[in-house]
Amino acid sequence: MFKLILLRILKNKLAVIGLIFISIIFIIALLAPFIVPYDPYRINVYKVLEAPSKEHIFGTDELGRDVFSRVIYGARVTLKVGIIAMGIAIITGTLLGSIAGYYGGFIDAFIMRIVDVMLSFPTLFLILAIVAVLEPNIYIIMVVIGLTGWMDVARLVRAEVLSLKEREFVLASKAMGVSSRRIIFRHILPNAVYPIIVAATFAMGGAILIESGLSFLGLGIQPPEPSWGGILSTGKDYITVAWWMSFFPGIAIFLSVLSFNLLGEALRDALDPKKWAENI
């Protein structure tokens, strides 16, 4: 099955390109201290707003800092926020969705009404309201993005659990007196892992986009810590004289989110049971 899934993904050229780009970004982020040619925090008043050149391939910003080094370090911050926020959203949505789907009744109705209420608020405005009240820092951003992005995951997992809990192996486990917790975590969720993986891929791209938006508005990662959204926000004030300050972090955001979405689409097609049947 794994080979079939991998072959289906590799047949999708756009997904392969996205996967390669994601891999490169992760490698660059991990090796950032060894890759960057300059200290991303170092100010040099003699090199303010220099255009891209051999010395500074992405140019310099309004304080003379190397934009390439700041974009590389910004990848570390942005990916860290994206991974943690995605993890919080996936864990929360999976737990609540599995509980709602398995137990049903009042518990299901209560959790789903919470989901409906959360979805009734525009996500970005809800995050902005919470971050505006709290002091913005990287940890607050991670938690807030994660706790406002679990609803779609909960709905997806609930639907899978509703289907799986009527299967023979679950009914047999109940007849043998297996505890509900064991049935959920040992028998149901492992069979619902593929949709969760797809949801996680899309959630990662969404988290990166939201973090970049918050930083762009000044409510995300605070200076001098580099983040793609923060670099882009600073660059907008110099767009007519230093286009490179906005262009390179903007391209990084665009390509990263696009790559995760392309990979998510490919995973969704590759993990579709109907398409598995076509190859049997």
Side-chain angles (χ1 to χ4, degrees):
M1 189 65 69
F2 175 77
K3 291 182 179 179
L4 177 59
I5 293 170
L6 183 60
L7 286 173
R8 284 195 167 276
I9 293 175
L10 294 178
K11 286 181 180 179
N12 189 324
K13 294 181 180 179
L14 291 177
V16 172
I17 294 173
L19 183 59
I20 292 172
F21 183 81
I22 292 170
S23 302
I24 292 173
I25 289 295
F26 271 97
I27 293 171
I28 288 175
L30 288 173
L31 301 178
F34 309 101
I35 294 176
V36 293
Y38 301 96
D39 184 345
Y41 303 98
R42 183 181 179 183
I43 296 174
N44 189 341
V45 295
Y46 299 105
K47 293 185 176 292
V48 171
L49 299 179
E50 284 194 358
S53 62
K54 292 182 179 180
E55 186 178 3
H56 300 279
I57 59 175
F58 284 5
T60 62
D61 63 10
E62 81 286 3
L63 298 177
R65 296 171 296 190
D66 183 61
V67 175
F68 176 74
S69 300
R70 290 184 63 77
V71 169
I72 295 299
Y73 263 79
R76 304 187 82 185
V77 175
T78 301
L79 290 177
K80 183 191 299 183
V81 172
I83 291 171
I84 300 299
M86 177 269 292
I88 293 173
I90 292 298
I91 292 172
T92 304
T94 299
L95 288 176
L96 293 178
S98 59
I99 291 172
Y102 184 80
Y103 290 103
F106 172 77
I107 295 176
D108 181 24
F110 179 72
I111 293 176
M112 286 301 102
R113 295 301 75 76
I114 293 176
V115 170
D116 292 337
V117 170
M118 292 287 289
L119 289 175
S120 66
F121 294 99
T123 303
L124 184 57
F125 290 127
L126 180 61
I127 295 174
L128 287 174
I130 297 173
V131 173
V133 174
L134 303 173
E135 181 181 355
N137 59 62
I138 189 170
Y139 303 105
I140 294 294
I141 299 301
M142 290 175 181
V143 174
V144 170
I145 294 176
L147 293 181
T148 54
W150 58 269
M151 294 80 72
D152 290 332
V153 180
R155 281 185 164 182
L156 177 65
V157 173
R158 173 182 175 270
E160 290 293 321
V161 173
L162 285 173
S163 173
L164 290 170
K165 74 176 186 178
E166 301 300 330
R167 298 285 184 88
E168 289 79 3
F169 64 91
V170 174
L171 298 176
S173 297
K174 289 181 179 179
M176 295 171 63
V178 178
S179 66
S180 298
R181 184 174 64 179
R182 186 177 179 84
I183 291 174
I184 292 173
F185 289 101
R186 293 295 298 273
H187 299 288
I188 293 180
L189 286 183
N191 287 281
V193 68
Y194 289 149
I196 295 174
I197 292 174
V198 175
T201 306
F202 284 114
M204 183 68 182
I208 290 174
L209 195 59
I210 292 174
E211 184 280 323
S212 299
L214 289 174
S215 296
F216 181 82
L217 296 173
L219 295 173
I221 309 303
Q222 298 299 301
E225 190 74 24
S227 71
W228 290 341
I231 301 170
L232 186 62
S233 178
T234 303
K236 77 179 188 305
D237 298 326
Y238 302 90
I239 191 67
T240 57
V241 294
W243 56 267
W244 54 89
M245 288 179 61
S246 299
F247 177 78
F248 292 112
I251 285 294
I253 295 169
F254 169 73
L255 292 178
S256 297
V257 175
L258 178 62
S259 296
F260 278 108
N261 287 343
L262 290 174
L263 181 59
E265 291 284 352
L267 281 171
R268 185 166 57 187
D269 292 340
L271 298 174
D272 187 351
K274 295 180 180 178
K275 294 188 177 182
W276 293 347
E278 294 175 1
N279 292 270
I280 296 176

